[in-house]
Amino acid sequence: MSLSRSPSPVPGGGWASPGLTNNLSPSGRSSPTKAYAGSNGTPVMWERQKNMGGAAYQSFSTQNQGFFSRHMRRISSSLPRFKADNTHGAEREKIGQGRWNMPRLGRIRGITGRMSRRTKMLLAFGLLFLLAYIIFYSTPLVYYYRRTSWLGGGQKFVIILAANVGGGVMEWKGAREWAIERDSIRNKKKYVAKWGYDLEIVDMSTKKRYAHEWRESWEKVDFIRSTLRKYPKAEWVWWLDLNTFIMEPSKSLQDHIFDHIEDVTYRDINEYNPLNISHPPADPYLDELSKSPIGDGNPNSIHLMLSQDCSGFNLGSFFMRRSTWTDHLLDVWWDPVAYEQKHMEWEHKEQDALEQLYTAQPWIRKSTAFLPQRMINSFPTGACSEKGNDPRIHYDQKDRDFLVNMAGCEWGRDCWGEMYNFRELSYHLNRSLWERFKEDLLCWIWFKLTGKKVKF
């Protein structure tokens, strides 16, 4: 007797095994049909449950539906999956067959899902800070937002750089002169790009610009006028000679001078008076304001700021403000009559002319202020060195002076050597943390291992 549970081949149904055949059914079925009732005329149990609205069969429910089960399923969804390949033969040896498939999105979800809410908030703030730093400090956008009046005010300042573009009739440029000009211009371009200022490079090569006179080095008066016309939003112009180098580019003009101009300037020239100019003027016809050694004391009335070296006024680095007073000063400074009469006597040309105007014109003193030389015009050791190193004049690395002017280097000193040394010093003093790590630690380790000096 076979125990197979396969359906019976006989007509009418039933099971092949006699023990599995329902004797109550005349047709031999083991399962009742819809119209079939029990032997006593009542519906069977499963039909009675269905008629009462209950489930025909008991629902299947999985176990372990707690937190740990759900957490483990989340982890498993982020695991790498092996991508099988059903190709046969030589195709199996190809690169890329049977590699692990890493679901990145699932991995990220798994990592973030295991983080606490506090960790997620800290991560979001960190990413936001990093994005803001990149946008506002490492992109060209820095230049534009620092130019606005409410974020920096950079458009109020224009740097005028006196260059000898291409050389002139009376001065030929060699490799060292080209290198000086290249480094000086690059230094100023980086500075204005960092703080949102404008840069005007003017040609100071020696040539006859005007019909009746050369006016060598007097052109700065004319260039200041044209620059003020070219940049109508500029409030201050900063004149710089070519042999200057900004040593601290991380300092803005606002932080360095203009946000506290009343604290860093002085109007009484007697504080440092190498020319022994009598001050204040004592003429009886002058008003009280003109006789005051400090003028009106209001920083808003300052329209000219410059420094003094060992021989008097120095115009290698000075500031002028846009104003009616400035227009009048430029007019009398450019006066052709004074030029014709005095230009052969004035050794320092336009610089001696300004000293003469300051001495003779009380109205000029009222709006002129002086800055300590090392604040905008430090000298290297070779300049003004007749009396040795002067703490008022010469550059001091410990104090991190703002700018160096290699004044007079063309008279017996090495202009390129001084420019190169100060350029390298400025880079060394203003290195970032990453640059210091590379050069101070990694280079040192490499030197200890190989005995060779290297620069990353």
Side-chain angles (χ1 to χ4, degrees):
M1 181 179 296
S2 174
L3 296 179
S4 173
R5 292 176 181 264
S6 58
S8 173
V10 297
W15 297 102
S17 301
L20 299 178
T21 302
N22 189 351
N23 297 325
L24 297 178
S25 175
S27 63
R29 293 181 179 267
S30 61
S31 298
T33 61
K34 182 176 181 180
Y36 180 82
S39 58
N40 56 359
T42 61
V44 294
M45 182 64 66
W46 64 271
E47 188 172 1
R48 186 162 56 247
Q49 289 285 346
K50 183 176 181 181
N51 293 336
M52 293 174 61
Y57 299 99
Q58 186 177 2
S59 61
F60 177 77
S61 177
T62 59
Q63 300 297 321
N64 300 325
Q65 291 295 322
F67 168 78
F68 291 103
S69 178
R70 294 194 303 271
H71 187 63
M72 294 305 296
R73 285 200 301 273
R74 186 179 303 168
I75 293 177
S76 63
S77 67
S78 64
L79 293 176
R81 300 174 183 175
F82 187 78
K83 184 178 181 181
D85 193 1
N86 295 327
T87 56
H88 302 283
E91 293 295 328
R92 294 182 179 179
E93 303 298 327
K94 290 185 178 180
I95 298 176
Q97 302 289 347
R99 295 284 182 97
W100 286 96
N101 184 17
M102 308 292 286
R104 295 181 181 178
L105 184 60
R107 192 187 318 170
I108 295 174
R109 287 178 178 175
I111 293 174
T112 55
R114 291 190 294 271
M115 292 182 180
S116 64
R117 183 176 181 180
R118 182 172 180 270
T119 304
K120 292 179 181 178
M121 294 294 292
L122 291 176
L123 181 61
F125 280 118
L127 293 176
L128 184 63
F129 176 80
L130 180 61
L131 180 63
Y133 179 83
I134 293 174
I135 292 176
F136 292 104
Y137 289 92
S138 301
T139 64
L141 186 63
V142 175
Y143 175 81
Y144 296 100
Y145 88 79
R146 282 182 170 168
R147 287 181 60 79
T148 60
S149 59
W150 50 283
L151 282 177
Q155 63 182 354
K156 296 181 180 179
F157 303 92
V158 180
I159 298 177
I160 305 176
L161 179 61
N164 181 19
V165 181
V169 176
M170 299 178 61
E171 182 179 353
W172 297 102
K173 292 174 66 173
R176 301 170 74 86
E177 287 74 22
W178 281 111
I180 291 171
E181 183 174 291
R182 180 192 64 239
D183 285 353
S184 181
I185 293 176
R186 183 190 296 124
N187 175 247
K188 311 309 183 297
K189 285 184 175 180
K190 287 184 177 180
Y191 186 70
V192 299
K194 182 177 180 65
W195 297 109
Y197 308 142
D198 288 302
L199 176 63
E200 184 71 11
I201 301 175
V202 297
D203 185 6
M204 292 288 289
S205 57
T206 304
K207 56 186 177 182
K208 191 173 182 178
R209 299 175 182 276
Y210 311 100
H212 63 290
E213 55 197 11
W214 284 78
R215 288 263 183 170
E216 58 273 14
S217 80
W218 288 68
E219 304 98 318
K220 63 180 60 175
V221 178
D222 201 17
F223 285 134
I224 291 174
R225 282 174 168 171
S226 61
T227 301
L228 289 173
R229 289 194 299 266
K230 184 177 179 179
Y231 300 93
K233 294 183 179 180
E235 182 180 352
W236 286 91
V237 294
W238 182 21
W239 180 276
L240 288 176
D241 284 349
L242 184 64
N243 292 328
T244 57
F245 199 88
I246 299 174
M247 298 294 293
E248 298 296 329
S250 59
K251 294 180 182 179
S252 67
L253 293 177
Q254 297 92 312
D255 293 337
H256 189 51
I257 297 173
F258 291 95
D259 287 347
H260 44 93
I261 190 172
E262 67 279 1
D263 299 326
V264 298
T265 58
Y266 63 93
R267 299 199 192 187
D268 189 356
I269 196 175
N270 293 316
E271 290 193 22
Y272 182 64
N273 193 358
L275 296 174
N276 294 319
I277 297 175
S278 178
H279 185 77
D283 298 314
Y285 57 84
L286 297 175
D287 57 8
E288 294 300 323
L289 184 60
S290 299
K291 293 180 180 180
S292 172
I294 60 171
D296 60 1
N298 185 0
N300 294 323
S301 65
I302 298 176
H303 300 283
L304 171 64
M305 291 190 297
L306 69 159
S307 62
Q308 299 183 89
D309 57 27
C310 58
S311 59
F313 290 6
N314 187 286
L315 298 182
S317 171
F318 68 95
F319 296 89
M320 294 196 78
R321 171 185 261 162
R322 179 193 297 275
S323 63
T324 304
W325 183 94
T326 298
D327 294 336
H328 292 164
L329 175 61
L330 295 175
D331 287 340
V332 298
W333 198 359
W334 183 257
D335 184 11
V337 176
Y339 173 81
E340 290 292 343
Q341 294 178 354
K342 292 289 188 178
H343 75 279
M344 297 300 293
E345 300 178 13
W346 289 332
E347 179 183 0
H348 298 98
K349 304 169 186 176
E350 84 292 349
Q351 193 165 282
D352 291 342
L354 183 61
E355 292 173 354
Q356 178 64 31
L357 291 173
Y358 181 88
T359 303
Q361 302 292 336
W363 65 274
I364 294 179
R365 300 192 190 193
K366 292 189 297 183
S367 295
T368 301
F370 298 95
L371 288 161
Q373 182 173 354
R374 287 176 50 199
M375 196 163 193
I376 61 167
N377 206 16
S378 294
F379 277 4
T381 306
C384 280
S385 57
E386 291 81 4
K387 298 181 180 179
N389 193 26
D390 190 341
R392 283 179 173 266
I393 296 174
H394 294 104
Y395 176 83
D396 190 344
Q397 179 179 338
K398 295 180 180 179
D399 294 335
R400 305 285 293 269
D401 293 346
F402 180 62
L403 179 137
V404 174
N405 181 9
M406 281 70 77
C409 64
E410 62 272 12
W411 306 104
R413 303 201 325 264
D414 185 2
C415 294
W416 165 241
E418 292 181 359
M419 177 71 74
Y420 176 81
N421 290 333
F422 281 111
R423 183 194 71 185
E424 293 299 309
L425 178 60
S426 175
Y427 168 77
H428 179 78
L429 295 176
N430 293 278
R431 291 177 300 168
S432 63
L433 292 176
W434 172 242
E435 290 168 341
R436 293 183 182 185
F437 171 75
K438 290 191 301 181
E439 298 175 6
D440 294 344
L441 182 60
L442 297 184
C443 291
W444 178 81
I445 294 175
W446 184 263
F447 176 74
K448 290 296 184 181
L449 293 176
T450 65
K452 298 179 180 180
K453 292 184 178 181
V454 66
K455 185 176 182 180
F456 290 101

